[in-house]
Amino acid sequence: MSGQLEEVLRHRYIYVPRGTETDTIQPGKRLGLAVARERSAHLTVVAPDKNSATHHPELAKLDIVTERSGHPQDGGVVLAWCPTYKVMEKIQRLDRSVVVLVEWIPSEFDAWARLRGAYNVVTGEVMGAGLSAEISEVLEGIVSEGYNGWTKGTDELVTLSFLKDLAAAGAYDRELVLAYARQSKSEHTIERLKKILDKFETSQRSLVTTPDSDYLTSRNW
């Protein structure tokens, strides 16, 4: 990864996906430290809890933000160290920070990286979600319906309608919908959105069974 540092420094969001055959955790840590050093920037570690960061001597001496305490200062470098969705809420409103995300569960933050246009240090590519203006508008509509946390029946009905629009356009992607909402919503709220997605996906599966197929499978041929 060290050979990629010059390219990495061109990007604001850097994604270190979890490797299944090679170690990406330790190189990801070194990359985060190198980005802060090269930028002469303040480095903050964002991690689920302090122990997960202080276990590493290089991280223990840094500012550590956890699910339960602290907020990273804007304008520096944030090392999202094996983060959870909950702790990633802490970076939602950072406008100027460089974020290096080192993933723990493979592909868990793939949708996050696609939405952010992150540089993938494993593939050497800039990721993208490929959202058209129309699809972005639908996703914005889903988020807008969550202004009350998707607590009302009407919120659910309108959101389901938006999801049908995505499916009709061949653009329904559960993880992308959740990642889009996570840009501004809390995990507490996201849990309610997940239930709406579950209901939608159940309804979509039921559409696969057509009246004709029911008839054919019911016959004793």
Side-chain angles (χ1 to χ4, degrees):
M1 287 186 190
S2 59
Q4 293 180 305
L5 186 55
E6 184 175 345
E7 176 62 31
V8 165
L9 292 171
R10 295 191 177 101
H11 303 278
R12 183 180 168 202
Y13 295 104
I14 300 100
Y15 176 47
V16 186
R18 178 69 184 271
T20 55
E21 297 180 2
T22 58
D23 177 29
T24 51
I25 301 297
Q26 295 300 325
K29 175 180 64 179
R30 293 193 294 270
L31 183 65
L33 294 167
V35 169
R37 183 177 62 249
E38 291 297 317
R39 289 180 173 274
S40 300
H42 181 82
L43 178 61
T44 303
V45 179
V46 173
D49 57 65
K50 280 203 170 184
N51 289 338
S52 62
T54 56
H55 178 70
H56 301 263
E58 311 98 310
L59 305 183
K61 57 189 176 183
L62 301 173
D63 290 340
I64 300 173
V65 171
T66 70
E67 288 184 0
R68 303 184 65 179
S69 65
H71 290 275
Q73 69 177 50
D74 201 4
V77 174
V78 173
L79 173 59
W81 178 247
C82 303
T84 57
Y85 293 125
K86 178 68 176 175
V87 77
M88 286 295 283
E89 290 179 31
K90 301 290 184 79
I91 73 163
Q92 283 178 353
R93 292 175 174 79
L94 299 181
D95 296 320
R96 296 176 289 112
S97 295
V98 172
V99 179
V100 180
L101 191 152
V102 181
E103 187 178 63
W104 179 251
I105 299 173
S107 299
E108 184 176 22
F109 284 92
D110 177 82
W112 173 89
R114 284 187 282 145
L115 279 177
R116 301 280 182 168
Y119 177 73
N120 185 319
V121 301
V122 172
T123 65
E125 298 174 339
V126 176
M127 302 176 71
L131 301 179
S132 66
E134 292 77 9
I135 298 303
S136 296
E137 185 176 349
V138 174
L139 291 171
E140 277 297 323
I142 292 172
V143 171
S144 295
E145 284 306 310
Y147 74 100
N148 267 329
W150 293 282
T151 55
K152 298 180 179 179
T154 52
D155 300 341
E156 179 177 320
L157 288 174
V158 176
T159 298
L160 287 170
S161 178
F162 280 129
L163 295 174
K164 289 176 184 176
D165 291 341
L166 289 178
Y172 176 72
D173 180 331
R174 179 188 179 94
E175 294 308 314
L176 196 64
V177 171
L178 292 172
Y180 199 95
R182 283 186 171 111
Q183 293 179 118
S184 58
K185 304 298 182 183
S186 70
E187 278 307 299
H188 177 71
T189 299
I190 292 295
E191 288 303 314
R192 289 193 285 271
L193 177 58
K194 285 181 181 179
K195 292 179 181 179
I196 297 175
L197 299 185
D198 290 343
K199 182 176 291 189
F200 171 72
E201 290 168 8
T202 298
S203 70
Q204 291 295 293
R205 285 193 294 270
S206 69
L207 291 177
V208 175
T209 305
T210 64
D212 287 343
S213 65
D214 284 344
Y215 173 76
L216 290 173
T217 54
S218 67
R219 297 288 292 180
N220 186 20
W221 296 100

